[in-house]
Amino acid sequence: MWTVAIVALLVVTLPSINVVTIQDSSQVGCRLLESSGTVILTQPGDFIIGGVFSIHTSLKTTELSFTHIPESLQCSGRELRFARAMMFTIEEINNSTELLPGIKLGYQIYDSCSSVSVATRVTFQLINANTCQQVPTVSPSFPPVPQVSHFATCACLSNKQQYPTFSRTVPSDHFQATALAQLVKRFGWTWIGAVHSDSDYGNSGMAAFLAAAKTEGICIEYSEAFYRTNPLSRIQRVAEVIQRSTARVVVAFVSTGDMIVLLEDLLELSLPPLQWVGSESWVTDPAMTQFHMFLGAVGIGIRRAVIPGLRTFLLDLSPAQASASPILREFWESAFRCRLASGPVGPGERVCNGSESLQQLQNAYTDTSQLRITNMVYKAVYAVAHGLHSLVCAEQNGSTLHCDRGMKPNPLQVQHVLEHIRKVNFTLNGNRVSFDANGDPVATYELVNWQLSENGQVEFVTVGKTRKALSLDEYADMLHVCVYKSLQVPKSVCSESCPPGTRKAVQRGKPVCCYDCVPCAEDEINRKNHEHSPIEFLSFSEYLGIILAASSVVGACLAIAIAAVFYLHKDTPIVRANNSELSFLLLFSLTLCFLCSLTFIGRPSQWSCMLRHTVFGVTFVLCISCVLGKTIVVLMAFRATLPGSNVMKWFGPPQQRLSVLAFTFVQVLICVLWLTLSPPFPNKNMKYYKDKIILECDVGSAVGFWAVLGYIGLLSLMCFVLAFLARKLPDNFNEAKFITFSMLIFCAVWITFIPAYVSSPGKFTVAVEIFAIISSSCGLVMCIFVPKCFIILFKPEKNTKKHMMGKVPSKAL
């Protein structure tokens, strides 16, 4: 027979002898303490799986006084259910024809009596296979023994250098701590208290939670540690800290035994309503539902499962079977308050009459509605069995050929057991069972809320869960919380949010969550109060934006239509006489001028802010350069009619193109310098209104902005002066006078734009700029091109060379 020591511990898993032994006064009355290390439940087999459970525990704590005998430990029906679940699982595996066929698994189950020292003792006895009557020692040549825990959640156990043979089916507290911090943040609790067990479980779990809470911006008013064997004065002090605190939310990373001890003192105090947030150890323990002060508590729980056949196995226990085992006898007699016939009967005690049945009981042992940790035991035993199967059984094409039941133990084979357990990957009742490199399973939890049912009983209601199995980095962000209407969320903050017109002033010596609200100075912006204020900008969805956008599109369409008319009549005198090449280029630039106003509408972004001003500046300079070129052509054409003048050869088509290119290049250079040194950017303006934010484009460099406008103004002024000088030249259709009118409108619009732009608040600043762009563009189109189109379309008799030269009398248009 080969004993494979696979230790499934409840809370304490100590694979090395370097431990701190804590003397627990409550163990003195343990009936089995004198023979601690004795197997309480056993079955022979080809391979033995060992189990260590805290069958006996105490619901109370007392200080050692040397005058009173401490109360005896009580048999825990919940822990007995865990042990019996292990027996059920092994029986189920032994009856399987697919898993370990022909192999019989046995078990040796020990009681740790909720004691670290006893747990250490029985663990070493299981490993060393000796009587352990003295302090246990481990031979240096003894091979490492694989251990699988169903409830040891300390994150420290993931350290494979210190615990190389340890695996578990319950998630590490590192995942749980992150989930708890996310849960607290989800409900807006920024001011909380914290209590935890003064043990590896509580200290490690709370340290991870505090680190995660700090990252989430949660402030901790107090963090208190205690253990159930501490002096009563220590536990009373923790209770008084909770009573005096201003935090209305308490996060408890505490084991069930420690929590019950703390409650004894809390019940004697007058406490304000508190919202409890619990770890998996106590928040789903049915033994805690007797304390209604936890009503409304929320916490992280191991996922509930269904194990087919387990309830039948648990209840199928006869008096004869109970009499055969001391631990089952104790449970039976305690549950039915009678003595089995085979046992001694004292005065005043009754003998069980045989009518007792576990079907009649409703206690922790028979309750299979919350199979959470029980399922971890179930998965742990199956993980061991699958590991053994892959080691001792030969398979071909998915079918088992042979299993070696006579394999002899040696260090290499034991190491192989560990490796095969770590590599298991199978599905059990719809749940995936596997381990990572640290021996940890995939972290999956439920969010549990304590609610009062219609019959007045406290129920664990699942109100949230993880959507899928996730890694640590992803888990916290994916915790999906579904809050029911019955879950009333309290408020727990150190200071209320500051109202508009005030700012935060952190209180000296207190966390950042504690502050006073002081009035803002006249020139001070309370940005915090604007975080949830509406943001305003000129959008395409509002009436003003729609009107301006439609106007720009209509203007662009008008310019394109005029260009089409000119193209269809490009050989007529009126088109040829007005420099058709510059006319088409001017119409193209005017189309861009109309369309560039669309970049001013919509939510400002980094690119739109840079685009709107630079495109506007370049297209308008291109437009004015074309007008200036046409004006110069008119002057040069008149000079060319004088006798002996050949001035037109100095300003022919090549020179006209070069002049437009040169004027435009200067504006491009200004825009490049502007964008390089200090470009425009989106800015939240909160100076005009207290109740809303104006999202606008800051020009960045005011010098760059006004340089762009100034250059446009300079070219416009030059064009206006030259056109004004040429307005009375002898020509029946002198274009210079139309250019004069257009430049007069253009300059008037942009001169009035400056004060309107500076004084208009918010989105109306943008509206003024768009209006100036559209108005000035329309002025150029109406004054320069509409009269020509009118003649081309409606007065074709005037579209002759004679009429253009003034040889045919014409009426004023």
Side-chain angles (χ1 to χ4, degrees), residues 63 127 154 195 295 312 315 333 369 424 433 450 509 567 574 706 799:
E63 294 185 82
I127 294 174
C154 179
V195 293
L295 191 62
T312 302
L315 300 183
E333 292 178 349
S369 63
V424 300
V433 181
W450 287 33
Y567 181 78
I574 197 170
W706 291 112
N799 190 6

Side-chain angles (χ1 to χ4, degrees), residues 697-727:
C697 284
D698 192 295
V699 296
S701 171
V703 174
F705 175 71
W706 291 112
V708 169
L709 291 183
Y711 184 65
I712 296 174
L714 177 63
L715 293 182
S716 302
L717 183 61
M718 291 173 55
C719 188
F720 175 74
V721 171
L722 293 177
F724 182 79
L725 294 176
R727 73 190 187 284

Side-chain angles (χ1 to χ4, degrees), residues 494-560:
C494 185
S495 301
E496 296 289 345
S497 300
C498 290
T502 63
R503 62 175 178 84
K504 295 179 181 179
V506 178
Q507 298 174 0
R508 182 174 298 180
K510 292 188 176 182
V512 293
C513 300
C514 301
Y515 49 82
D516 296 318
C517 297
V518 298
C520 295
E522 290 295 330
D523 58 344
E524 189 176 14
I525 301 175
N526 189 356
R527 296 187 180 273
K528 182 65 176 178
N529 294 327
H530 283 85
E531 284 186 356
H532 303 291
S533 300
I535 297 178
E536 182 181 85
F537 55 88
L538 185 61
S539 67
F540 287 99
S541 59
E542 57 182 299
Y543 290 124
L544 182 58
I546 293 173
I547 293 173
L548 293 175
S551 300
S552 65
V553 172
V554 170
C557 292
L558 179 61
I560 294 173

Side-chain angles (χ1 to χ4, degrees), residues 546-598:
I546 293 173
I547 293 173
L548 293 175
S551 300
S552 65
V553 172
V554 170
C557 292
L558 179 61
I560 294 173
I562 293 174
V565 172
F566 267 51
Y567 181 78
L568 294 175
H569 300 82
K570 61 181 181 297
D571 296 326
T572 59
I574 197 170
V575 175
R576 298 179 62 185
N578 286 278
N579 197 321
S580 59
E581 184 174 335
L582 285 180
S583 295
F584 282 116
L585 186 58
L586 176 59
L587 287 169
F588 171 73
S589 62
L590 283 171
T591 302
L592 295 180
C593 289
F594 280 115
L595 293 179
C596 81
S597 61
L598 294 177

Side-chain angles (χ1 to χ4, degrees), residues 246-285:
T246 58
R248 291 296 172 261
V249 172
V250 182
V251 177
F253 222 106
V254 183
S255 65
T256 299
D258 295 341
M259 200 67 184
I260 292 176
V261 170
L262 178 62
L263 282 176
E264 293 177 357
D265 287 284
L266 289 177
L267 291 174
E268 297 177 0
L269 301 177
S270 178
L271 294 177
L274 295 176
Q275 172 66 50
W276 291 87
V277 180
S279 60
E280 95 300 334
S281 177
W282 68 270
V283 81
T284 56
D285 191 340

Side-chain angles (χ1 to χ4, degrees), residues 30-296:
C30 180
R31 297 181 182 180
L32 300 179
L33 191 59
E34 296 84 359
S35 59
S36 60
T38 301
V39 180
I40 60 171
L41 293 168
T42 182
Q43 174 180 291
D46 300 316
F47 298 95
I48 302 299
I49 300 179
V52 181
F53 300 92
S54 298
I55 305 295
H56 286 84
T57 186
S58 175
L59 299 180
K60 297 182 179 180
T61 184
T62 55
E63 294 185 82
L64 292 177
S65 63
F66 299 101
T67 58
H68 297 87
I69 299 176
E71 180 181 344
S72 297
L73 298 182
Q74 302 297 316
C75 181
S76 169
R78 179 171 178 253
E79 293 296 324
L80 183 59
R81 168 160 42 91
F82 296 162
R84 292 273 290 165
M86 179 177 173
M87 298 166 58
F88 164 78
T89 310
I90 291 177
E91 181 178 305
E92 188 175 73
I93 294 171
N94 287 339
N95 294 330
S96 172
T97 58
E98 297 180 357
L99 187 60
L100 293 173
I103 299 291
K104 181 180 180 181
L105 295 180
Y107 53 81
Q108 290 182 3
I109 298 177
Y110 294 77
D111 181 11
S112 69
C113 291
S114 300
S115 167
V116 174
S117 58
V118 176
T120 306
R121 185 183 186 94
V122 298
T123 301
F124 276 118
Q125 177 173 338
L126 187 61
I127 294 174
N128 291 340
N130 57 42
T131 58
C132 288
Q133 294 302 315
Q134 63 273 356
V135 177
T137 59
V138 178
S139 171
S141 62
F142 192 84
V145 177
Q147 302 169 65
V148 182
S149 175
H150 66 283
F151 207 15
T153 59
C154 179
C156 59
L157 295 170
S158 297
N159 185 345
K160 294 302 103 178
Q161 292 183 347
Q162 189 173 4
Y163 305 100
T165 64
F166 181 83
S167 302
R168 52 185 160 192
T169 54
V170 64
S172 166
D173 284 336
H174 198 70
F175 297 91
Q176 180 180 192
T178 304
L180 283 173
Q182 285 290 320
L183 174 62
V184 171
K185 180 184 178 181
R186 166 65 176 79
F187 289 115
W189 299 323
T190 58
W191 183 242
I192 66 172
V195 293
H196 61 95
S197 296
D198 192 6
S199 61
D200 283 344
Y201 167 74
N203 293 331
S204 175
M206 183 54 67
F209 170 77
L210 293 179
K214 183 178 181 181
T215 303
E216 300 297 341
I218 301 169
C219 297
I220 311 298
E221 183 180 8
Y222 60 86
S223 179
E224 296 291 332
F226 69 97
Y227 193 68
R228 58 181 174 271
T229 57
N230 288 150
L232 292 178
S233 58
R234 169 74 178 274
I235 298 175
Q236 289 172 352
R237 188 183 67 83
V238 174
E240 291 171 356
V241 169
I242 296 174
Q243 181 190 34
R244 294 194 305 266
S245 70
T246 58
R248 291 296 172 261
V249 172
V250 182
V251 177
F253 222 106
V254 183
S255 65
T256 299
D258 295 341
M259 200 67 184
I260 292 176
V261 170
L262 178 62
L263 282 176
E264 293 177 357
D265 287 284
L266 289 177
L267 291 174
E268 297 177 0
L269 301 177
S270 178
L271 294 177
L274 295 176
Q275 172 66 50
W276 291 87
V277 180
S279 60
E280 95 300 334
S281 177
W282 68 270
V283 81
T284 56
D285 191 340
M288 301 297 297
T289 57
Q290 58 182 306
F291 304 104
H292 281 216
M293 67 177 299
F294 287 143
L295 191 62

Side-chain angles (χ1 to χ4, degrees), residues 608-619:
S608 67
C609 289
M610 292 191 294
L611 186 66
R612 64 172 59 171
H613 290 99
T614 53
V615 171
F616 154 71
V618 173
T619 54

